[in-house]
Amino acid sequence: MTSTQLSIEGSIAWHERAQKVIPGGVSSPVRAFKGVGGTPRYFVRGEGSQIWDVDGNQYIDLVGSWGPMILGHAHPSVVSAVQRSAALSASFGAPSPNEVLLAEEIVSRVGGAVERVRFVSSGTEAVMTAVRLARAAASAAGGTQRNVVVKFAGCYHGHSDALLVQAGSGVVTLGLPNSPGVTPGAAQDTVVLPYNDLSALEELFATRGHEIAAVITEPTPANMGVVPPLEFTDTNGVHLNFNDHIRRLTSAHGALMILDEVMTGFRISAGGWYSKYIAPDGWAPDLFTYGKVIGGGYPVAAVAGPASIMDQLAPVGSVYQAGTLSGNPVATAAGLATLQLCDDSLYATLDQRAAQVGSVIADALTAAGVPNTLQSGGNLFSFFFTDTPVRSFSDAQTQNVAAFNAFFHAMLDGGVSLPPSAFEAWFVSGALTDDDVTKIGRVAKVAARAAAQVIGA
Ligand SMILES: Cc1ncc(COP(=O)(O)O)c(C=O)c1O
């Protein structure tokens, strides 16, 4: 179902113009609504939990720019930090204090696992840098060249060539698992395994462990829908989850572990997924990647880790990485103002709101007879319109996309903006109100009936 009861003439007109000058009319593919059908909305304003399109339609925002808008839109502290910094110049292309302050804030939040932070402008760049650094560090430590990077099907780590192999996010939404333009040379050093498949990982390390530079993972994949790491119990009754096993195997074979916290970093807790779910178990990955929240809606991302590895980056070491706008003073001011408001009380609110929204949606779907599975990783969550839990990318293919799309459009018509894809996480902000949750529940009842019609429930 792609028709809408709202007046969206303005969005339709902008999308026609956009398609004449921008491929598909969009600067990032999922925004084009190809996965759900219909016309994307063109937005002009946001405040708190609400956003407005060019036609004046108002929506509760559960996309949050795909994660960065953790405080809601146009938070006064972030707006004034940006205004103050922008008035002093947009960019110097030279060191400036804001990037140091933001790096100090990140270091203080993650404890000893992060001693150095190198800023870039997107998560893609951060991961690209982390992979280069990991290859160099693992090769130097082992004394032989290690080229292989292991990733998991359905995880998305940005659009650099080496990682655009069986990726999630827009790649799965559009059904383009392996992009043309990625050379066999770039793809041959990337090994893709099924997520949560411990035997496959153990077997790979047993046969090719000496070639592996790094394993990269999302701590809870959230780009094929949310898929938490499974727990495995060994013959001695010891419980270790999939992340624990990645660390155990990489350490044993001289490979690095890259924890891609671009989505989860500083969204799940004050120190990201790592501080809440990994640090208590006493281990750390070798490198982290961050993005989204650390820019508060502006282009900031980072690779981070211990000095012993990070100082292999130029100019201290010989691994090259650079950027004209890296550590931009305005963007880092926005990130710092955002992080300073990300305290324990905000994380408690996010957890509560995620649980509330998940529960009103699940109730509505269940009442309408629509099979549904709510999957969560901290305050990130998504719905699979199926009865069975999803543990991997191949399980995620059981998603009932037609039912999701009917639900999505009815929610949008009712004034609730969800991610325009059946395979993306939903994002709550600290600005959501009790009234918003009530409205989401009310609209979900109508939307669930639309989904029920599609599946004939
Ligand atoms: C886990 C993860 N890594 C990397 C990226 C790429 O970040 P960016 O879109 O800023 O390039 C994303 C984007 O969604 C992501 O979710």
Side-chain angles (χ1 to χ4, degrees):
M1 187 191 108
T2 57
S3 65
T4 174
Q5 294 139 22
L6 298 177
S7 162
I8 59 163
E9 279 79 15
S11 283
I12 291 170
W14 276 111
H15 199 45
E16 276 167 12
R17 275 176 76 170
Q19 287 173 88
K20 292 184 183 140
V21 286
I22 301 174
V26 290
S27 299
S28 192
V30 178
R31 299 179 196 170
F33 272 33
K34 288 269 189 247
V36 291
T39 305
R41 304 303 189 262
Y42 280 63
F43 290 103
V44 287
R45 187 164 85 82
E47 187 181 332
S49 59
Q50 309 292 312
I51 47 176
W52 285 265
D53 68 18
V54 286
D55 294 288
N57 300 307
Q58 180 175 346
Y59 308 84
I60 298 170
D61 184 14
L62 291 177
V63 183
S65 190
W66 307 94
M69 309 313 289
I70 194 165
L71 304 175
H73 292 267
H75 191 287
S77 301
V78 180
V79 172
S80 74
V82 167
Q83 285 171 336
R84 277 197 312 274
S85 183
L88 297 172
S89 175
S91 182
F92 303 106
S96 69
N98 288 351
E99 62 192 309
V100 184
L101 297 174
L102 182 57
E104 286 174 352
E105 178 73 26
I106 291 170
V107 167
S108 74
R109 283 168 172 259
V110 189
V114 166
E115 293 171 317
R116 302 272 194 279
V117 181
R118 170 62 62 85
F119 290 116
V120 292
S121 301
S122 71
T124 294
E125 268 186 275
V127 171
M128 199 177 73
T129 303
V131 166
R132 184 179 307 142
L133 184 54
R135 282 193 171 122
S139 303
T144 53
Q145 185 62 33
R146 287 177 177 238
N147 291 334
V148 171
V149 170
V150 181
K151 78 174 282 286
F152 299 103
C155 285
Y156 180 67
H157 303 290
H159 62 95
S160 64
D161 282 1
L163 294 161
L164 211 50
V165 186
Q166 291 189 37
S169 192
V171 182
V172 50
T173 304
L174 300 178
L176 303 169
N178 300 303
S179 172
V182 174
T183 63
Q188 82 185 6
D189 289 327
T190 306
V191 174
V192 184
L193 295 180
Y195 188 68
N196 272 329
D197 189 338
L198 180 56
S199 315
L201 190 63
E202 285 178 334
E203 202 177 307
L204 180 72
F205 268 102
T207 52
R208 298 185 65 185
H210 59 289
E211 294 173 59
I212 298 173
V215 178
I216 182 165
T217 189
E218 294 178 67
T220 183
N223 280 292
M224 51 176 152
V226 175
V227 178
L230 280 182
E231 206 163 84
F232 301 82
T233 309
D234 69 14
T235 43
N236 301 320
V238 177
H239 306 289
L240 292 179
N241 69 33
F242 196 55
N243 288 325
D244 300 327
H245 280 289
I246 295 172
R247 175 71 291 179
R248 178 179 63 80
L249 286 163
T250 47
S251 297
H253 290 268
L256 272 62
M257 176 175 181
I258 304 171
L259 197 69
D260 183 354
E261 290 231 51
V262 167
M263 180 99 81
T264 51
F266 313 109
R267 164 161 287 278
I268 299 303
S269 82
W273 183 278
Y274 166 73
S275 294
K276 186 160 178 177
Y277 294 113
I278 294 178
D281 288 337
W283 62 265
D286 299 292
L287 287 170
F288 294 84
T289 47
Y290 296 119
K292 301 191 189 259
V293 169
I294 65 166
Y298 293 79
V300 183
V303 53
S308 57
I309 299 174
M310 290 295 294
D311 282 349
Q312 296 182 39
L313 283 173
V316 188
S318 53
V319 179
Y320 197 69
Q321 178 279 330
T324 301
L325 294 177
S326 294
N328 175 270
V330 183
T332 47
L336 185 62
T338 300
L339 275 190
Q340 283 169 339
L341 292 168
C342 290
D343 56 14
D344 287 347
S345 118
L346 177 81
Y347 292 110
T349 302
L350 294 175
D351 290 350
Q352 183 197 26
R353 291 301 185 203
Q356 288 171 331
V357 173
S359 128
V360 294
I361 302 263
D363 288 351
L365 290 169
T366 304
V370 179
N372 65 92
T373 303
L374 168 61
Q375 298 211 171
S376 306
N379 59 53
L380 286 166
F381 64 98
S382 70
F383 278 91
F384 287 98
F385 287 58
T386 62
D387 278 327
T388 36
V390 167
R391 297 144 55 123
S392 67
F393 186 53
S394 61
D395 289 357
Q397 306 308 306
T398 61
Q399 171 71 302
N400 188 330
V401 175
F404 173 85
N405 290 355
F407 185 79
F408 166 85
H409 277 289
M411 291 296 278
L412 198 62
D413 272 356
V416 181
S417 174
L418 302 179
S421 163
F423 301 101
E424 299 281 3
W426 301 13
F427 299 88
V428 292
S429 80
L432 277 176
T433 63
D434 288 340
D435 283 351
D436 291 335
V437 175
T438 306
K439 179 173 172 185
I440 292 167
R442 195 171 61 240
V443 177
K445 287 186 183 146
V446 179
R449 286 198 289 275
Q453 265 185 354
V454 167
I455 60 173

